[in-house]
Amino acid sequence: MMEVAGPWTEVFEGSEMSGGSETLLGSSTLTLAPLVADSPSIRRSQPILITLNRAKGVASFSSSIPNPFPELCSTSKSPVLMNSLPTQSSNKHLIKVYGEDSHSRSVSVSRAATAREVCHMLVQTAHCSDQENWALMEFHPTLGLERCLEDHEVVLEVQATWSLKGDTRVVFCKNYAKYEFFRKPMLFFPESMISDSADVSKGMTSSDLIQNLLKSGTCPEIQGFLQFKEPSRKAWKKVYFFLRRSGLYCSTKGSSKEPRHLQYVADLDDLNVYTVVNSRKLYGAPTEFTFCIKPCKNPVRTQDLKILCAENEQTRTCWTSAFRLFKYGKQLQCNYQLSKSAPRSLEGTKLTDVKSKSEASLVAMDFSGKAGGRVIQNPMEAQSAEREEGQAWRRREALRCSLPDSNATARPSSIHKSQPWFHGGVSRKETQRLIEKQGLVDGMFLIRESQQHAQCFVLSLCYKLKTKHYLVIPCEDGGRKYFTMDDGLTLFIDLLQLVEFHQINRGILPVCLKHPCVCVAL
């Protein structure tokens, strides 16, 4: 056995090791060759000390390089992380609501905020003059679908069913006809379309329909012909439909009600009813009185829509109102009762406290006395003074504009331009669209500029689910300008006086002016 002193290495056959200028070649046997200690090409491995705390090493390394984005590394100093992005436990959510002028406003609402609560919030933020008959409209521009959200519906749950890539929006607008069928059931539910599914020979009135729907154990139904379009076909087919508590059915043999001829179409609990806008162009409908039903839990797809077409507006209104009434029943009546008491109950809530500082700093003054002005403390006296001042201003403005001088004759009174019921130069078709959107109730009106007659105006009025148009003509009497609708028998100094007169007098109109068709800008 041979002992080797000093460092050594193993060299096998076919291996090479360069050590300076000397090369060692071994044979098939094991050879031990001494290492050259001072060779510059060989480095002895040294142990590396690995610290347990890596963070200290990173900190010492990064401290030599300045951080260009310190706000991204500190949550306490980051406005993006702390303020803009809601936490998982946050109960507030932002929703975007559009006005009828296509402008939008972002509103922070709670997770369980209903359509009624959001409307009340928007009434205050938009400084609306009244708090009644407001609604949120679900609008699908591409498909031409719209429906009024029920007051009890949770807005965030409705938005959760929308497609992320769609253009669906929520619109804040007036809707006078939301509960009108409770007030005038005869107008909405013709007796020819009402029957009892359990007893064919039993008659039923419009009032009985609503009362029976609010009771359990009754079997009312809506029936009638509708034109139906299947998704896979372009042609429209006339089919007899039945709407009952259990769902929507159609007859495969005329108007037969026999069970073997009834075909199930849809379940009321799983659908929403929409009004179709511009249905002739989008779907080739035979008339404009079109509506559709679709599943309420799924995003809107064309293949899921069941497009139905009625012969007139009354038939369409009957079906769409019946769908809501059959689906929600007592809940809809509860919403109606709350809507009647809401304007009075809101006076004691925090909503009325949301006023601008400029409004709170204004006071009513009376300068009629000789001792100077005084502050009017009585609210009733302040309102009376405000009305008197407004009427006096209108009289002065109308008199100034009607005087027979060269300047006044060239420029009529423009006081109507500041009124909510004046809509400028909108077309006849758009006028009907606005009135239908805000509810076809008797007395809804607007005034617009005539597109066919220069310097004339048109009063558009809704009566019995139809829109009528009356021409307002300017005329002169005694050198002064007036407006008339009955060939000069009744003269008005301006359009505002015309509206105020017909709000308490029918005149030549079938009904008094009640509800102005307004467009709110958010």
Side-chain angles (χ1 to χ4, degrees):
M1 183 174 183
M2 182 180 60
E3 294 184 359
V4 180
W8 55 274
T9 183
E10 298 178 1
V11 179
F12 296 91
E13 182 180 356
S15 65
E16 298 183 3
M17 172 174 263
S18 59
S21 59
E22 183 179 359
T23 303
L24 298 176
L25 298 175
S27 59
S28 59
T29 59
L30 176 64
T31 305
L32 298 179
L35 291 174
V36 181
D38 54 351
S39 174
S41 60
I42 300 177
R43 295 288 186 267
R44 185 183 300 274
S45 61
Q46 299 291 333
I48 299 176
L49 179 63
I50 301 177
T51 59
L52 296 178
N53 191 357
R54 290 290 187 92
K56 294 182 179 180
V58 174
S60 62
F61 173 77
S62 60
S63 61
S64 60
I65 302 176
N67 186 2
F69 306 106
E71 66 275 6
L72 299 181
C73 300
S74 176
T75 57
S76 61
K77 298 180 180 180
S78 174
V80 177
L81 296 177
M82 296 300 294
N83 299 332
S84 299
L85 300 179
T87 60
Q88 293 293 334
S89 59
S90 176
N91 194 37
K92 292 293 183 179
H93 298 266
L94 284 178
I95 63 172
K96 182 178 288 188
V97 182
Y98 287 81
E100 293 181 288
D101 58 349
S102 299
H103 289 83
S104 63
R105 176 192 291 266
S106 295
V107 183
S108 178
V109 300
S110 62
R111 189 186 304 273
T114 62
R116 180 192 296 109
E117 294 169 349
V118 176
C119 283
H120 290 170
M121 188 182 306
L122 291 171
V123 164
Q124 299 299 323
T125 56
H127 302 284
C128 300
S129 59
D130 64 326
Q131 298 177 350
E132 298 181 77
N133 303 310
W134 292 102
L136 294 182
M137 188 80 69
E138 178 186 352
F139 182 44
H140 303 261
T142 303
L143 298 174
L145 306 181
E146 64 180 22
R147 77 174 182 98
C148 179
L149 297 185
E150 303 298 343
D151 287 345
H152 67 275
E153 287 190 86
V154 179
V155 179
L156 290 178
E157 292 181 0
V158 174
Q159 289 186 330
T161 63
W162 297 352
S163 174
L164 297 177
K165 298 180 180 180
D167 54 354
T168 311
R169 61 181 60 177
V170 174
V171 181
F172 178 60
C173 62
K174 280 279 190 181
N175 192 322
Y176 294 98
K178 188 189 299 186
Y179 304 114
E180 191 68 10
F181 53 80
F182 283 113
R183 305 182 186 98
K184 299 179 180 179
M186 288 289 296
L187 184 63
F188 283 78
F189 304 110
E191 294 186 4
S192 60
M193 298 179 61
I194 305 173
S195 66
D196 194 320
S197 59
D199 188 358
V200 181
S201 60
K202 182 180 179 181
M204 186 178 298
T205 64
S206 304
S207 301
D208 294 339
L209 171 69
I210 296 180
Q211 296 300 324
N212 290 338
L213 282 173
L214 301 179
K215 300 177 183 179
S216 58
T218 57
C219 306
E221 70 176 4
I222 299 293
Q223 59 184 5
F225 279 103
L226 292 172
Q227 298 198 55
F228 174 67
K229 179 184 178 182
E230 298 180 0
S232 58
R233 298 182 180 180
K234 295 183 179 181
W236 290 77
K237 183 179 180 181
K238 199 171 185 179
V239 182
Y240 204 82
F241 284 89
F242 302 91
L243 182 62
R244 300 174 178 175
R245 292 181 185 271
S246 55
L248 180 66
Y249 300 85
C250 67
S251 177
T252 58
K253 185 179 180 181
S255 58
S256 174
K257 290 185 178 181
E258 296 184 21
R260 60 194 179 98
H261 295 150
L262 291 183
Q263 181 178 352
Y264 183 76
V265 178
D267 184 10
L268 289 180
D269 295 333
D270 190 41
L271 61 83
N272 284 324
V273 59
Y274 294 80
T275 302
V276 183
V277 182
N278 199 13
S279 57
R280 288 181 181 269
K281 181 179 180 180
L282 293 176
Y283 303 100
T287 68
E288 288 288 351
F289 313 111
T290 312
F291 65 98
C292 85
I293 55 177
K294 83 162 192 72
C296 55
K297 298 298 182 181
N298 300 328
V300 179
R301 299 183 304 174
T302 306
Q303 56 267 31
D304 296 332
L305 304 180
K306 292 181 174 60
I307 310 295
L308 303 170
C309 188
E311 295 182 355
N312 50 55
E313 182 60 44
Q314 186 181 27
T315 304
R316 178 173 72 168
T317 304
C318 176
W319 281 100
T320 54
S321 302
F323 269 103
R324 297 173 54 213
L325 198 55
F326 273 69
K327 180 177 180 179
Y328 296 110
K330 291 184 178 180
Q331 179 65 60
L332 215 59
Q333 187 186 38
C334 181
N335 295 345
Y336 170 55
Q337 299 297 335
L338 289 175
S339 67
K340 294 193 299 183
S341 60
R344 293 187 294 272
S345 63
L346 284 177
E347 295 177 358
T349 61
K350 297 181 180 179
L351 292 177
T352 55
D353 298 333
V354 186
K355 295 183 179 180
S356 62
K357 295 182 179 179
S358 60
E359 292 182 15
S361 62
L362 296 178
V363 294
M365 299 288 295
D366 179 18
F367 296 96
S368 59
K370 297 182 179 179
R374 68 178 181 90
V375 178
I376 301 177
Q377 301 289 347
N378 190 349
M380 299 298 295
E381 184 183 359
Q383 293 180 2
S384 177
E386 182 182 4
R387 287 193 298 267
E388 292 179 1
E389 177 64 23
Q391 293 173 0
W393 182 87
R394 289 199 298 271
R395 286 194 295 267
R396 291 194 300 268
E397 175 70 9
L399 179 62
R400 181 178 63 84
C401 295
S402 61
L403 289 177
D405 55 22
S406 58
N407 294 330
T409 54
R411 180 180 58 84
S413 175
S414 59
I415 188 175
H416 56 271
K417 294 184 178 179
S418 61
Q419 301 303 311
W421 39 258
F422 183 72
H423 287 253
V426 297
S427 64
R428 183 189 183 101
K429 184 177 180 180
E430 182 63 21
T431 297
Q432 296 184 182
R433 167 86 182 100
L434 286 172
I435 293 179
E436 289 177 3
K437 187 176 182 180
Q438 297 192 14
L440 292 171
V441 296
D442 291 349
M444 178 180 290
F445 73 98
L446 63 83
I447 293 183
R448 57 188 174 89
E449 297 174 354
S450 176
Q451 295 182 333
Q452 298 180 354
H453 305 277
Q455 298 182 353
C456 294
F457 298 89
V458 177
L459 170 64
S460 299
L461 174 67
C462 179
Y463 179 65
K464 290 187 177 180
L465 302 178
K466 295 181 181 180
T467 304
K468 301 179 179 293
H469 307 274
Y470 301 87
L471 188 63
V472 181
I473 304 174
C475 63
E476 290 189 9
D477 184 27
R480 293 185 177 181
K481 282 191 172 183
Y482 296 95
F483 293 96
T484 182
M485 290 195 303
D486 52 8
D487 296 331
L489 295 178
T490 310
L491 301 178
F492 305 97
I493 57 177
D494 56 19
L495 296 179
L496 184 58
Q497 190 186 49
L498 182 147
V499 170
E500 290 177 345
F501 173 84
H502 288 95
Q503 285 177 334
I504 56 177
N505 304 279
R506 283 172 45 185
I508 66 169
L509 303 178
V511 65
C512 292
L513 305 182
K514 297 179 181 179
H515 310 293
C517 183
V518 299
C519 290
V520 177
L522 294 177

